[in-house]
Amino acid sequence: MNYINIRNVKIKKTAMLAPMAGVADRAYRILNREFGASYTVSELISAKGLCYNDKKTEELCKITEKERPCALQLFGSEPEFIAKAVKICSQYKPDIIDLNMGCPVPKVAGNGSGAALMKDTELAASIVRAAVEVSDVPVTVKIRKGWDENNINAVEFAVAMEEAGASAIAVHGRTRNQMYSGKSDSDIIKEVKKNVSVPVIGNGDVASLEDCLRMYEYTGCDLVMIGRATYGNPWIFKEIDDYFEGRTFTPPDLDTRLETMLYHMRLALSDKPEHIAVQEARKHAAWYLTGMYGAASFRAKCYSLSSYDDAVRLTEEFRELQLRNVPK
């Protein structure tokens, strides 16, 4: 098994879980780590929110041993707030601090943070320097291809971030204007890898073992990051991990899929109040059923779950439906 090092942090060279706001919470990270994700990153944490002692923001900083190696991901556009936030994060003992310079959503990029920083390389570099100066762990940066098709600057931007002190660069092969549509550009990841000496993490359109292997081979990246393909599918990490460990991967059967769905919900319930955990679990339940017989008709039932017992009943009902429709 090969490993990469982001400074002193050793990470299995298989595939890592992407940071996804509203999806990759603590329960999601633990689950996917157990299935083989080699590295996890927190949901987006507002640097200003931390500095102003926002309790909800502070909750995002907590890390359990089961998630490690794990980074705390900050966003913000002011170096002084980033520096203060990094100091606050240190009490939660992250393995890495990740700075988000790739988030495309309006409430982040529209305020000058996230992908908007790719329009101001000098400001972005000053943010990295401010974080590196006060951090006792590696500082990494997540970027995109560029702001739009007329402003593709990932290579020069990545070089500037390395010069400012970044210990690794994650590159999503889409522009900010593409959001999550269209095709991810592996060529830009390849070019970034050629031009920096720190580890490069490739992200975008990795939905299978084959995609993962292709990303490694084509771009030469040091690690692969997977996001939306993990929805209801933590087995993607197991398949990749099994491949690199020389094991035979066995796809999950019906019972395994449904029990994993319930286990995921139990993880959420152990971390959050039931009404919040159940509300957030609705989308996950729907994702676990995707592609199976009758899934579309059950999706509405997933979105009306109000308790764990409801989920158990739905699981049994769905299992019976599948068994009734197994080809004779």
Side-chain angles (χ1 to χ4, degrees), residues 76-125:
S77 58
E78 296 161 282
E80 60 272 25
F81 280 106
I82 290 289
K84 289 177 184 176
V86 169
K87 290 179 181 178
I88 295 170
C89 284
S90 67
Q91 66 186 292
Y92 298 96
K93 307 296 183 186
D95 297 292
I96 289 170
I97 292 290
D98 187 54
L99 301 177
N100 186 294
M101 298 185 182
C103 181
V105 300
K107 70 177 182 181
V108 174
N111 289 321
S113 301
L117 287 168
M118 294 197 69
K119 296 191 291 184
D120 192 337
T121 303
E122 187 175 334
L123 173 59

Side-chain angles (χ1 to χ4, degrees), residues 4-7 167-170 193 196-201 222-223:
I4 72 159
N5 289 287
I6 297 180
R7 243 174 60 196
S167 294
I169 312 286
K193 176 60 186 172
V196 299
S197 59
V198 296
V200 170
I201 301 169
D222 300 278
L223 187 62

Side-chain angles (χ1 to χ4, degrees), residues 164-190:
S167 294
I169 312 286
V171 186
H172 184 123
R174 288 182 174 86
T175 64
R176 185 271 173 182
N177 277 11
Q178 280 183 277
M179 299 291 282
Y180 298 101
S181 65
K183 184 175 171 53
S184 178
D185 181 3
S186 295
D187 286 319
I188 198 71
I189 300 170
K190 184 177 184 178

